[in-house]
Amino acid sequence: MSVNVLYKTSAKATGGRDGHAATLDGALDVKLTTPKELGGGGGEGNNPEQLFAAGYAACFIGAMKFVASQGGAKVPADASVTSTVGIGPRAAGGFGLDIDLAVSLPGLARAEAEALVEKAHQVCPYSNATRGNVDVRLTVV
């Protein structure tokens, strides 16, 4: 599958889950810390799952806006997506992710909201990247 790349960004991480990550342009700069649930000390900082959850939620709203621009239902200004990302051991070995997206589209009829969410799930790059690899559950709330 080829992609006509319109934008690229780069980030560098050091120290793994208890290290540091930053985009090379300096726009994002975070201290990383491992959650207690994964054997770390917790504390101040972020982890890759938090960053993934924030990125997926924001990207999914962008995908809904794209669908709306193609003639779909209009995305309300107060729309929101809550992305919950879980991590744990896989039965086949290694680790895997598990994702829930709770989409709030105030003012849209349920059928319109569900159609918009399903169409967005087909175009969102995060959804395309995870499809077939990660369980992603969509819920209109």
Side-chain angles (χ1 to χ4, degrees):
M1 172 188 65
S2 67
V3 174
N4 179 20
V5 176
L6 300 176
Y7 170 77
K8 283 186 180 186
T9 189
S10 297
K12 181 177 182 180
T14 57
R17 288 183 164 271
D18 289 307
H20 176 261
T23 55
L24 298 187
D25 65 6
L28 176 71
D29 192 317
V30 293
K31 177 182 185 250
L32 300 172
T33 184
T34 303
K36 289 181 181 181
E37 296 85 349
L38 296 179
E44 303 239 356
N46 296 101
N47 60 63
E49 293 71 39
Q50 291 171 321
L51 299 172
F52 189 90
Y56 201 162
C59 192
F60 200 83
I61 291 173
M64 290 190 299
K65 288 180 177 182
F66 174 80
V67 168
S69 77
Q70 305 296 304
K74 187 174 189 295
V75 177
D78 55 350
S80 66
V81 174
T82 301
S83 174
T84 303
V85 175
I87 183 173
R90 296 176 345 130
F95 290 86
L97 299 176
D98 179 83
I99 301 169
D100 287 290
L101 297 181
V103 183
S104 175
L105 295 162
L108 281 187
R110 185 158 201 80
E112 273 188 313
E114 288 173 348
L116 178 62
V117 166
E118 188 51 45
K119 288 177 185 171
H121 190 49
Q122 298 308 309
V123 300
C124 176
Y126 278 68
S127 294
N128 287 332
T130 58
R131 189 170 289 110
N133 301 311
V134 177
D135 286 334
V136 177
R137 287 169 299 282
L138 305 169
T139 307
V140 174
V141 295

